[in-house]
Amino acid sequence: MSANIILTYRGEPSGIRHANLLAVVTFLAETPEWPVVIVEQDGLPSLTTPLPHPNCSVIFAYNAGAFNKAWGLNVGARHCNGTVIVFTDADLLIPGMLPRSVEHCLRNTQMVKPYRQVLDLSPETTALLRAGDSTALQQMPATASTRQMQGESAPLCGGAFAIRRDAFLKLGGWDERFVGWGGEDDAFSYKVQRARLSTLEFDDAAALHLHHPRSRDRETNAAQYASNLALLKRYYHYDQSQLERLQEVQSQVIGRTEKYRPRSVS
């Protein structure tokens, strides 16, 4: 098997994130030969009906506490055996770029970033895409907002990217100590850069970010966010031997599905 696609997800009462997930899975069904693994982390499973993809599986990983993106993606990676892993957010579309990214990873590149810009779609365009209107992108205004216009610079491993599975495992996977909002994308990007992986970044297309209310995790969980920033700061002070030891340890504990499940009391 050449590639697996991994997402991690948690729903919310409004149903907006679920609607975005369905739009993403529908888009990924254009390459049905690549299995999609969705890791749902919550107190109870909600993805109990068939999804619009012929080769899609859902892993329910109990986590009733703060969302842990790094752990969820690691759980998915443990259930995949393709040569290439594609990680993507559950609200991001990358039209036409995934086959090209996987092809480069299979040939001579260890990691591929399929885009450089992220285009934030309006609620109206997002609604059309969710409804299956393939002409919606043609109606999108040329002045639509990008993250760069907002003064944001996404990390290399934020959003979506493809990486060879052997390289991902050698790096120890995602750092599961990052909990809640922020830090895990930057930390994994730093691992990739320190390891000097051969990396290719396409700059002739943009990723399309489906609209949803912005998460307030950073504001409502200030202590948790501060802890993530402190952990990320430690990364920048690791020497080579410390970083290699960290990756060795992380590769041994990556993605345990029982990590958050309460222990039964006998």
Side-chain angles (χ1 to χ4, degrees):
M1 189 178 300
S2 60
N4 297 103
I5 301 174
I6 302 175
L7 307 84
T8 188
Y9 162 85
R10 174 179 288 177
E12 35 69 56
S14 74
I16 292 175
R17 293 190 182 277
H18 182 252
N20 284 346
L21 174 70
L22 293 180
V24 171
V25 172
T26 300
F27 161 73
L28 293 174
E30 295 177 3
T31 52
E33 68 274 17
W34 298 337
V36 171
V37 174
I38 301 172
V39 178
E40 181 184 16
Q41 45 179 305
D42 211 332
L44 293 169
S46 65
L47 298 178
T48 55
T49 57
L51 295 170
H53 191 292
N55 199 1
C56 180
S57 60
V58 176
I59 298 170
F60 176 72
Y62 178 87
N63 175 13
F67 189 75
N68 188 332
K69 175 183 173 180
W71 171 70
L73 295 177
N74 280 345
V75 169
R78 286 191 71 159
H79 288 78
C80 297
N81 57 10
T83 304
V84 176
I85 298 176
V86 177
F87 293 106
T88 183
D89 288 348
D91 56 10
L92 201 67
L93 304 180
I94 317 163
M97 290 291 103
L98 285 184
R100 187 176 167 197
S101 302
V102 171
E103 178 186 356
H104 277 280
C105 275
L106 289 172
R107 287 192 297 162
N108 52 14
T109 308
Q110 291 173 292
M111 182 200 153
V112 176
K113 182 76 170 182
Y115 57 89
R116 182 165 292 177
Q117 290 192 334
V118 177
L119 188 64
D120 287 315
L121 301 181
S122 68
E124 295 76 19
T125 301
T126 298
L128 290 172
L129 286 172
R130 289 176 186 152
D133 186 347
S134 60
T135 67
L137 297 181
Q138 300 170 10
Q139 304 169 24
M140 190 169 53
T143 56
S145 159
T146 68
R147 297 295 169 84
Q148 286 79 1
M149 292 177 185
Q150 300 171 31
E152 295 184 21
S153 179
L156 178 67
C157 297
F161 63 93
I163 186 170
R164 291 187 62 90
R165 185 171 180 272
D166 54 0
F168 171 76
L169 294 177
K170 186 173 182 180
L171 293 178
W174 299 86
D175 191 330
E176 299 175 15
R177 295 175 295 173
F178 290 95
V179 177
W181 193 89
E184 71 285 329
D185 295 339
D186 302 87
F188 193 75
S189 300
Y190 187 68
K191 284 185 180 183
V192 167
Q193 292 160 350
R194 282 284 295 270
R196 294 178 173 83
L197 296 190
S198 57
T199 304
L200 180 63
E201 186 175 22
F202 299 144
D203 57 7
D204 56 353
L208 308 176
H209 180 239
L210 298 171
H211 179 79
H212 59 80
R214 191 135 193 183
S215 171
R216 297 186 60 83
D217 286 352
R218 176 173 172 176
E219 291 80 9
T220 57
N221 296 290
Q224 197 172 71
Y225 178 62
S227 176
N228 287 349
L229 288 184
L231 175 56
L232 180 61
K233 187 175 180 180
R234 286 163 57 188
Y235 262 81
Y236 302 139
H237 291 89
Y238 288 138
D239 62 31
Q240 190 62 30
S241 62
Q242 290 173 321
L243 188 58
E244 289 176 357
R245 177 56 180 162
L246 173 67
Q247 292 170 175
E248 179 185 352
V249 171
Q250 289 176 335
S251 68
Q252 297 171 13
V253 299
I254 181 174
R256 293 185 296 107
T257 54
E258 298 300 307
K259 179 169 183 170
Y260 292 104
R261 188 171 293 279
R263 295 181 179 178
S264 59
V265 179
S266 56

